[in-house]
Amino acid sequence: VYYTMKKTEKFKANSYILPVIFLSIIILAILSSFRIRMIEDAKSRVEESYRLETSDISQLYSRNIYAMEKIANLLATEILEEEDLFDDSCIENIAVAKRATNVNNIYIVNDNYAAIDANGQTYVNINEDKKLSSIFSAKGTEGRFIKGGKGINYLYLSRAIASKNQNRGYIIIEYVPNIMETLLNNPKYSSSNTFALVSADGDVIESAGKKSYLCEVGTNMIDKAQNVIYVDGSYSAFRQAIVDCRTGSQQTVYGDQGNYIFYSPIDNCKASVVMLVDTEDVERSFSVVSKNIRTMTMEIGIAIIAFIIIFAGIALLNKAKYNVETEDLQNKADTDLLTDLYNKVATERMIKEYLQGDGKNSVSMLFVLDVDDFKKINDTRGHAFGDQVLAQFGHQIRSWFRVNDILGRIGGDEFMIFIKDVKDPELIRHEGSRIMQFFEGFNVGEYTKYSPTASVGGAVYPTDAEDFDSLYKAADKAVYKSKKDGKNRVSFYADLNKVEKDAVIEKKED
């Protein structure tokens, strides 16, 4: 029966396990594919958010340049009406405009490149500085960064003073941007990122935020960019994007620092805003952007967990049922059917297990008990009455001891009582007396009462013996002593003299 139940239980387990494994593989494959697609989408969204942030900053510069353009256009229109470009009223106009704005200087340049600035200083030929020649070749209003004295990069914004038929000169606005100084006052922009204003020539004009090898003011980003490793893209692509003022991004590594580089051009100005973000920060941002993904994944996870819980519940119920049935079989195999105590095999096994395990270092007691004159009971009152004596003894003696003590029938009229973990040595004698007290009130029979007695022998572990076999022999010798002294009594192995302990019992009384 036990083998059949094991086989049936194994079959039931397999009927659950195989579908669960198959379904789990499918779910994992779907989730894996879904996760890959969503991560790619999240990455794209995060990168787009940083591009927009970079574009926002470039728009700050663009708005400033647009304001400068309006001033330049207004001045060019007013001065065009004057016969002398260097008239006092023209100089006053550019001086007022300078004071009303945060520009560094404003110049009026005639068609021979002679010039005068808002401070009244004159220049014979301002175009002698070859670095300024590019601003005069620009069409319309356009700004260019040119490195001036003390390594300062100035933004020069030029506007022609011209009619349809004649170009009389230029209005030049000299401007030093300082947007980066106040950029980090806005909580929108993180100080853990690096921000830089970079000219089309690669010069870093100003920067803010975290220090970076590429974004040191006064150095050339294009030159330094040759020394970084490009995870995607290339140096030539990055260089061309800065020179041509394009929008884009690339992932780079310099030393042990990984960065995403985002760049966005400034309108009507040969320059770009560059933002560097740590690779780790970008990856952390993925989780923020993919909030909906996490919600969906959580819902799927909850569904899977619910399934697992249901399956586990079914499996546990089956396991519990199996354990109960197995335990029931084991109990039946270990139980003496007549007395409902343990049988001989189970009794000896459990005592040995205890002495080799939890009870190895504690004091325990073993009583061996023989019902007195049991053969006479069977001969005079019949075997049915003898069975009744044994059955009632087994059922009643159980309540006199603790649940964890071991009581068993090891022969026809022979019993074992094993008491675990005796804390107080004085209880040793007391337990023997309790057994005798049990027999004082023990009687059998509905009409004619019969009061059986017993001869009891006790031995103490580890004082009298250090293993079960020796302990049983010691208790058995004490039983023989009780029988020899007149029965209906308890004897202890410790009370036997040396001769009695060493004597070999050749025959036991029934």
Side-chain angles (χ1 to χ4, degrees):
V1 174
Y2 180 77
Y3 173 76
T4 303
M5 288 187 62
K6 290 285 285 184
K7 188 174 182 180
T8 303
E9 187 66 27
K10 183 176 180 182
F11 173 75
K12 289 181 179 179
N14 288 337
S15 66
Y16 285 109
I17 291 172
L18 293 178
V20 168
I21 292 175
F22 180 71
L23 183 59
S24 298
I25 291 173
I26 293 176
I27 292 173
L28 289 175
I30 293 173
L31 285 177
S32 178
S33 177
F34 176 77
R35 179 177 177 275
I36 291 172
R37 291 198 307 271
M38 292 301 100
I39 285 178
E40 290 176 354
D41 181 65
K43 182 177 180 181
S44 176
R45 293 188 183 194
V46 168
E47 291 180 359
E48 183 61 26
S49 70
Y50 284 116
R51 290 192 190 96
L52 291 174
E53 186 174 334
T54 309
S55 178
D56 286 346
I57 299 171
S58 69
Q59 289 303 313
L60 294 176
Y61 285 98
S62 295
R63 285 194 287 272
N64 277 10
I65 292 173
Y66 177 76
M68 297 302 105
E69 288 178 353
K70 291 298 182 181
I71 294 172
N73 290 340
L74 180 61
L75 290 172
T77 301
E78 291 182 354
I79 292 172
L80 178 63
E81 302 299 325
E82 300 293 335
E83 184 176 344
D84 182 4
L85 297 182
F86 297 158
D87 184 81
D88 288 345
S89 62
C90 297
I91 298 172
E92 179 61 22
N93 284 339
I94 63 174
V96 170
K98 177 179 180 289
R99 289 194 297 270
T101 61
N102 61 346
V103 301
N104 191 57
N105 211 340
I106 302 177
Y107 302 85
I108 301 174
V109 183
N110 65 17
D111 54 357
N112 293 319
Y113 299 106
I116 189 168
D117 65 19
N119 299 319
Q121 183 176 348
T122 59
Y123 303 85
V124 176
N125 186 355
I126 200 170
N127 199 32
E128 286 182 349
D129 188 344
K130 300 300 181 182
K131 292 182 293 185
L132 298 178
S133 60
S134 61
I135 67 175
F136 298 114
S137 62
K139 296 179 180 180
T141 306
E142 185 177 85
R144 291 178 182 270
F145 283 99
I146 299 173
K147 186 172 290 186
K150 299 180 181 180
I152 300 175
N153 285 275
Y154 295 96
L155 172 64
Y156 287 92
L157 191 73
S158 66
R159 174 66 168 86
I161 305 172
S163 62
K164 292 182 180 180
N165 302 320
Q166 183 183 14
N167 185 359
R168 298 184 60 194
Y170 298 90
I171 292 293
I172 305 295
I173 296 180
E174 182 184 271
Y175 172 57
V176 179
N178 59 359
I179 289 178
M180 291 294 176
E181 293 181 5
T182 59
L183 186 66
L184 297 182
N185 292 333
N186 189 336
K188 178 180 179 180
Y189 305 110
S190 172
S191 60
S192 63
N193 299 334
T194 305
F195 307 91
L197 174 62
V198 182
S199 71
D201 298 326
D203 293 328
V204 181
I205 299 162
E206 59 175 346
S207 66
K210 185 178 179 180
K211 290 185 178 181
S212 170
Y213 166 74
L214 287 176
C215 298
E216 295 178 1
V217 175
T219 63
N220 190 280
M221 180 178 286
I222 292 177
D223 292 341
K224 286 189 171 184
Q226 299 180 76
N227 300 323
V228 302
I229 299 172
Y230 293 84
V231 178
D232 60 355
S234 63
Y235 166 71
S236 60
F238 173 75
R239 178 183 178 280
Q240 202 60 44
I242 297 299
V243 171
D244 295 342
C245 299
R246 300 175 187 168
T247 299
S249 64
Q250 288 179 286
Q251 187 178 357
T252 64
V253 177
Y254 179 73
D256 58 355
Q257 180 65 51
N259 288 114
Y260 278 81
I261 303 178
F262 301 91
Y263 35 86
S264 179
I266 301 171
D267 296 339
N268 292 332
C269 179
K270 292 293 184 179
S272 300
V273 170
V274 175
M275 181 171 70
L276 274 65
V277 185
D278 286 351
T279 301
E280 292 181 357
D281 291 341
V282 175
E283 291 175 351
R284 278 195 294 268
S285 297
F286 290 167
S287 61
V288 177
V289 176
S290 58
K291 182 178 180 180
N292 292 336
I293 300 172
R294 293 199 304 273
T295 302
M296 293 174 63
T297 305
M298 185 180 298
E299 291 174 352
I300 295 172
I302 291 172
I304 294 173
I305 291 171
F307 170 78
I308 293 173
I309 290 174
I310 293 171
F311 173 76
I314 294 172
L316 287 173
L317 287 174
N318 287 337
K319 182 64 175 176
K321 181 180 178 182
Y322 166 75
N323 288 340
V324 169
E325 292 173 349
T326 302
E327 185 177 355
D328 185 56
L329 286 175
Q330 184 65 50
N331 288 338
K332 288 180 179 178
D334 288 345
T335 303
D336 177 68
L337 299 180
L338 179 62
T339 63
D340 209 27
L341 302 177
Y342 292 117
N343 58 29
K344 183 177 187 297
V345 174
T347 302
E348 293 184 358
R349 184 188 73 243
M350 286 188 288
I351 295 174
K352 288 178 180 178
E353 289 174 354
Y354 177 76
L355 293 178
Q356 293 170 2
D358 296 341
K360 185 175 182 179
N361 298 316
S362 61
V363 176
S364 300
M365 294 181 59
L366 177 66
F367 289 102
V368 175
L369 179 152
D370 277 0
V371 178
D372 292 332
D373 302 317
F374 187 70
K375 185 177 183 301
K376 183 178 179 180
I377 295 173
N378 283 335
D379 291 343
T380 59
R381 293 178 175 263
H383 288 280
F385 185 79
D387 288 346
Q388 186 179 358
V389 170
L390 298 177
Q392 289 196 25
F393 169 76
H395 295 153
Q396 293 181 33
I397 194 68
R398 173 74 269 181
S399 63
W400 280 62
F401 294 91
R402 298 173 300 181
V403 175
N404 62 333
D405 291 333
I406 301 170
L407 282 74
R409 180 188 180 196
I410 60 174
D413 63 335
E414 188 177 6
F415 296 84
M416 270 190 195
I417 300 173
F418 183 79
I419 301 174
K420 298 179 181 179
D421 194 18
V422 180
K423 302 292 186 183
D424 187 352
E426 294 183 1
L427 292 177
I428 294 173
R429 302 285 175 176
H430 175 70
E431 292 296 336
S433 299
R434 288 182 68 246
I435 295 175
M436 300 314 297
Q437 289 174 9
F438 169 81
F439 278 98
E440 290 176 4
F442 177 56
N443 53 72
V444 183
E446 294 183 6
Y447 303 106
T448 303
K449 300 295 184 181
Y450 179 79
S451 299
T453 62
S455 299
V456 182
V460 179
Y461 171 90
T463 306
D464 298 331
E466 296 182 352
D467 58 72
F468 170 77
D469 292 333
S470 300
L471 190 66
Y472 172 70
K473 290 178 181 178
D476 196 49
K477 288 182 180 181
V479 172
Y480 177 72
K481 171 67 173 173
S482 294
K483 289 180 178 289
K484 184 179 178 182
D485 291 345
K487 305 178 183 179
N488 191 24
R489 68 190 66 242
V490 59
S491 302
F492 287 91
Y493 179 75
D495 297 335
L496 274 62
N497 58 42
K498 187 176 185 304
V499 175
E500 289 174 320
K501 289 180 179 180
D502 293 339
V504 178
I505 303 174
E506 296 180 352
K507 183 178 180 180
K508 291 175 58 180
E509 295 183 10
D510 292 332

